[in-house]
Structures are given as structure tokens and as C-alpha cells.
Amino acid sequence: MDFDVAAWEKEIGRPVPPLMAKFFTWLAPYEYGDLGYFELAPENLAGGTAWQGMERWGAHTWGFISLPDGSLIGLCEAVQPPAVVYIGSEGELRTLSESFEAFLLAIDAGETETEIDLADDELEAEQVAARKAFTSWLNKSKIAAPAVSGQFDFSAYAAGDPAERRAPPTQQGAAPVMDPAYLDHIDGMGERLKMLCSLVGRTAADPELCAVAEQVFGKAPPQSIGNARHDDSIWLTAKKGDVGFLFSRKVLNPNYAPVSISNKAICPFLEGVFLGDAYSEPVLFGLHGDSLWDTIALRLPQHYKETVGDDGEVEKACTLPLDAARDTELRLWMNHGRTHVCVQIAQGRELARPEAANHIYSGAGLFLQWALENGWLERGMFPGQDELIDALRRREVRPSQLVRLGLTRGLWDTHLTDEPGLRRFAVVYFHNMDDIWINADLKTMFGKRQGQYGHDEPVLDDDPAEICDALFAVFTAQFANWKRANPQELA
């Protein structure tokens, strides 16, 4: 890979850090793909507007690696030591490593969570040789990550928070405290999985959760997730680990409202723990992996579901409620011959984000009115709104009023009752799947115009009662047609 320090410094308008120059000089003789799929690419980001807040952070951040999808890896010098950050082609902004040294060690471990990482069982001879040479270079260069006081949230910084690192809580002496009584109805679950179950639903600031993360992954969980686009969740994994932790700032469950810790940053919840292929401890009935299914089918028939996909593959699934107080569940599924297991917060699927639902032309309110008039509105998801819902049922108020008061976190499929097929249909209908789309039906009925971002949108700025009947006939027909085409979704 070509590297000319003088040309780089001219391009980025600042000195190349000595260690980076040393590494790129060592890397220069290697070909694309030898150490991972990336290219060296100096990128001056000052003055740009392509990403959220770029006019602010671009002055302190510059790119040094280009990935195949057009994303960049950059160095953000707004904090010291400078952090290595991900600048995604779809708007994602997040911190990869707290220092360039830590980034080099992540490359060596295969844990950058980018296209640089290569699967050990798919390496070509040239890649094996390059990896060994890189590990040797790291050792000879005595590369060690500097100690830092906390974590830098590039996403929150990009959205307007100060450039600072947030330290995790003290973990000294912390150990998970469990009351296993809520798992009494679960037969044969291993003690380690019980411990992991006790963590799901906690925030990343929980000392006991931090202690486990340090033990399993060698690092604390993300203390915040900013609000730059598409940064709702972060994975915590280790290449040789047998579990993965998924942290999210956006849990679609009414009991998990976002926990703000600054103007822009949110402390995430541990949304789910996913068991990897190497996990070998008991899950249920003293069993794990593929050996679970025969016993599940025999002993838990009410929770067991088996279907045959379009490709003839048998798919299996089982979901067991765990802790009613925290709305957690154990989910198992098998597809393509592999068994997957996770412990997760039970949550809905998003139909419309808050900013979209609040626009009448999204159809969110009108869809709720249709559901209500069919007896399919989950009233428990709208606490304190009984009088409004009754008035809405009589068409004395507008659906947009319920949206403003009851959908402050967006429209989810769990705002609907569990009528056979309804929730799945709603997901399909709002997301332009199976050749049906609520937006297309609204444009056909009301006409279309160019929206704020250049896309067509329905000409629909009001939701009076007189528009309901003809529109609801369309909703009803789409639902009926979809059910006929997807009988497997009705079980």
C-alpha cells in the first residue's frame, strides 16, 4: 500500500503522528487484503457537511483508512490521546478505539468490528503470513495502549456534546447479585446462564454489569450512545468469547425509557446476551445446542414452533418468558441448521419513528384508528388515554391527537393487539415489504408531492373523519390479501 508522509501531511494539513507513520511505512510493501480489506487514504474533513455535525468535528478529525463500502476510519484529535473513530457511509458515527495504539491491537486481535477483521478459518496463505508479521512487528515495537480516564462518545460529540471521556463506574468487588426465584419455572438452566439472565435489562452504568464485561471482554461496556444517525446500538464482543452483549439506547418497551446522561448522550441498556457457537454450558434441561430441540418439542409444545421455509429448510423457534418484572425472555431459534440462543428484553418492532409518526402523511394515526375500530388497539400501551381513545372510537377527535399524546417514542407493532398475523402485517406494510406499502396506498388515494428530502410523500396534512371509510377499506383489503398469501404467519 502506497504511503508518502509528505504527501499525507499536505493533504490533511497537519503532521502524521509518528507511530502511524511507522506503521504505514511497515505496511507499504503489503497488498490490499493481506492485513484486511482496507486502503490507506488521507482525508481532510474540515469544512465538510456530509455527516451530522461535521462542520464542528471535521476541524479536529481526519481520515486515514477507507473501507470497501465507502466508510472511513479517522483520528479525532478533540480528545487526548486522539481516538480512532468510524465515519460510516450511511451516516454512522462511533468510536472504535480510545487511541491509535489500541486500534493496532484491535487489528491484531481481529476485533475492530470493521472489514479489517478476517475470519481465522478463511485466511489465504498471504494473509496468514501478514498476520504473523504484524504480530511480530507489534511485539518488537512494544506497542501498548495508553491508559485513558474513560470512554469517548464520538456520536454524542458529533451531535453537540463536549469532547470528553466518560468513565465507567467503579467495579471493585462487584459481582452479579441474583435472586434466582424468578427462574424457578425454567428447568435445567446452567448457573452461568442464570447469571447472564440477571444482567439483561440493566444499564451500562451498573457496576456489576461492568465487572462482568471486564471479565468476559476485557473492557467496560459503552457508557453512552449519542444521537448521530443510525447509532442506536453497540455490540460488545471478543473474537475468542462465547457470548456477545448488545447494548441499545432505544429499547421498544414502555418499561425502558431512554436514560439521558447529557444533552445528547443516552446511557444504553443491555438489550440482549447472545450465546455463540462455542457456548457449551446448559441452556435448558441440562442441554445446549442442537440437542435442545427434541426435548423442547416434547416438554414445551405450547412454546415450540416449527415451519418449513421456501427453500425447504426446517426452521424451529421457542420463546420462554423469564422475568415478568423486567420483561425478559429466553429466545431460541434454528435456521440453516444452526441453533441460536439469546436472553433479551421483550420488545416490539418499530413501524414509524417518532418524527415520522407525528406527520399525518405517515399514516400512523390513521392506521391506529383503523385498528381501534376493529378492536385491535392494545389499550394498555396508552396509559391515561382511555377517555381520548373512547372519543376516538366515536370519531369525535382526530387520530393525530392520540399520536401526539401516546406515541412520543414512535409507533410499534406492540401498540396493536396480538390478532393473528396483525403485527407482522403492520411491519410489512410500513416497511414496503411483500409488494405492499402504506405510503404507496396513501399516495394513490390522496396524490403525491415532493417532500422535504426530495422523496415523494402523500398530500395529506389533515385527518378528518370523512377520509376514514374509503382508506380503511384499503387497509382491510391489504390485510386480508396478505393473510391469504401468508397462512404460516397466522399460527
Side-chain angles (χ1 to χ4, degrees), residues 329-377:
E329 60 189 14
L330 176 67
R331 178 172 171 244
L332 305 95
W333 69 103
M334 188 186 80
N335 55 19
H336 303 297
R338 292 181 59 193
T339 296
H340 309 268
V341 182
C342 74
V343 181
Q344 63 186 20
I345 300 171
Q347 56 182 311
R349 291 168 290 189
E350 188 172 62
L351 306 181
R353 288 174 171 264
E355 59 272 20
N358 275 285
H359 289 296
I360 290 173
Y361 60 73
S362 73
L366 291 163
F367 193 82
L368 282 184
Q369 177 86 35
W370 170 75
L372 172 63
E373 295 187 11
N374 282 281
W376 298 333
L377 191 72

Side-chain angles (χ1 to χ4, degrees), residues 17 22-24 31 76 84 117 158 190 199 232 246 264 299 302 304 334 374 390 394-395 432:
K22 182 180 178 180
F23 169 58
F24 289 169
E31 300 292 334
C76 181
V84 176
D117 300 335
L199 301 176
D232 292 332
L246 179 62
K264 301 298 181 181
R299 297 181 58 177
Q302 71 276 27
Y304 177 72
M334 188 186 80
N374 282 281
D390 289 340
R394 298 189 297 268
R395 296 191 181 180
N432 193 12

Side-chain angles (χ1 to χ4, degrees), residues 7-334:
W8 270 61
E9 291 182 343
K10 182 179 180 180
E11 175 65 29
I12 64 177
R14 67 193 78 200
V16 176
L19 178 58
M20 184 181 287
K22 182 180 178 180
F23 169 58
F24 289 169
T25 300
W26 173 86
L27 184 63
Y30 288 93
E31 300 292 334
Y32 174 81
D34 285 353
L35 200 62
Y37 295 104
F38 65 94
E39 293 181 327
L40 302 183
E43 187 82 26
N44 189 333
L45 302 175
T49 58
W51 284 272
Q52 180 180 354
M54 191 176 180
E55 63 281 355
R56 178 169 176 262
W57 56 262
H60 307 286
T61 308
W62 51 277
F64 62 88
I65 279 178
S66 173
L67 298 174
D69 67 350
S71 299
L72 302 176
I73 295 177
L75 199 66
C76 181
E77 298 175 334
V79 290
Q80 293 299 321
V84 176
V85 297
Y86 180 82
I87 306 165
S89 60
E90 298 297 325
E92 312 97 313
L93 300 170
R94 67 176 186 270
T95 303
L96 289 182
S97 299
E98 297 296 336
S99 65
F100 187 69
E101 290 89 344
F103 178 65
L104 293 178
L105 296 173
I107 294 176
D108 187 46
E111 296 178 356
T112 70
E113 298 182 6
T114 70
E115 287 93 339
I116 296 174
D117 300 335
L118 300 173
D120 289 341
D121 58 352
E122 298 176 1
L123 296 178
E124 303 289 341
E126 295 83 357
Q127 293 171 327
V128 172
R131 289 276 166 175
K132 289 182 178 178
F134 179 54
T135 301
S136 176
W137 180 84
L138 288 174
N139 292 334
K140 289 179 181 178
S141 301
K142 299 181 179 179
I143 302 299
V148 294
S149 58
Q151 299 174 344
F152 175 56
D153 185 344
F154 183 54
S155 175
Y157 168 60
D161 267 2
E164 59 187 8
R165 285 187 161 98
R166 184 171 287 107
T170 178
Q171 303 151 37
Q172 188 172 3
V177 177
M178 296 186 299
D179 177 7
Y182 71 86
L183 294 173
D184 284 350
H185 65 296
I186 304 297
D187 185 12
M189 178 181 284
E191 293 302 311
R192 184 178 178 219
L193 186 52
K194 289 181 180 179
M195 179 273 290
L196 294 171
C197 289
S198 77
L199 301 176
V200 174
R202 302 191 191 197
T203 70
D206 183 278
E208 296 160 356
L209 173 54
C210 286
V212 173
E214 286 280 10
Q215 181 182 19
V216 175
F217 306 106
K219 55 187 174 183
Q223 292 302 294
S224 68
I225 300 179
N227 66 352
R229 291 177 295 172
H230 308 298
D231 280 321
D232 292 332
S233 60
I234 293 177
W235 279 96
L236 197 62
T237 60
K239 194 169 185 179
K240 296 182 180 179
D242 60 355
V243 297
F245 286 7
L246 179 62
F247 289 87
S248 177
R249 69 182 177 98
K250 185 177 179 180
V251 177
L252 304 187
N253 182 305
N255 298 321
Y256 290 88
V259 179
S260 297
I261 54 177
S262 72
N263 288 337
K264 301 298 181 181
I266 293 172
C267 184
F269 293 99
L270 178 57
E271 177 184 315
V273 173
F274 290 73
L275 309 188
D277 292 339
Y279 193 91
S280 59
E281 299 177 43
V283 174
L284 290 173
F285 318 119
L287 305 171
H288 74 276
D290 296 341
S291 61
L292 283 161
W293 291 109
D294 287 344
T295 307
I296 288 174
L298 179 65
R299 297 181 58 177
L300 299 170
Q302 71 276 27
H303 297 286
Y304 177 72
K305 182 178 180 180
E306 182 176 312
T307 58
V308 179
D310 294 337
D311 56 1
E313 289 279 348
V314 175
E315 299 181 356
K316 304 177 182 181
C318 174
T319 300
L320 293 176
L322 294 179
D323 185 356
R326 289 182 295 134
D327 264 354
T328 57
E329 60 189 14
L330 176 67
R331 178 172 171 244
L332 305 95
W333 69 103
M334 188 186 80

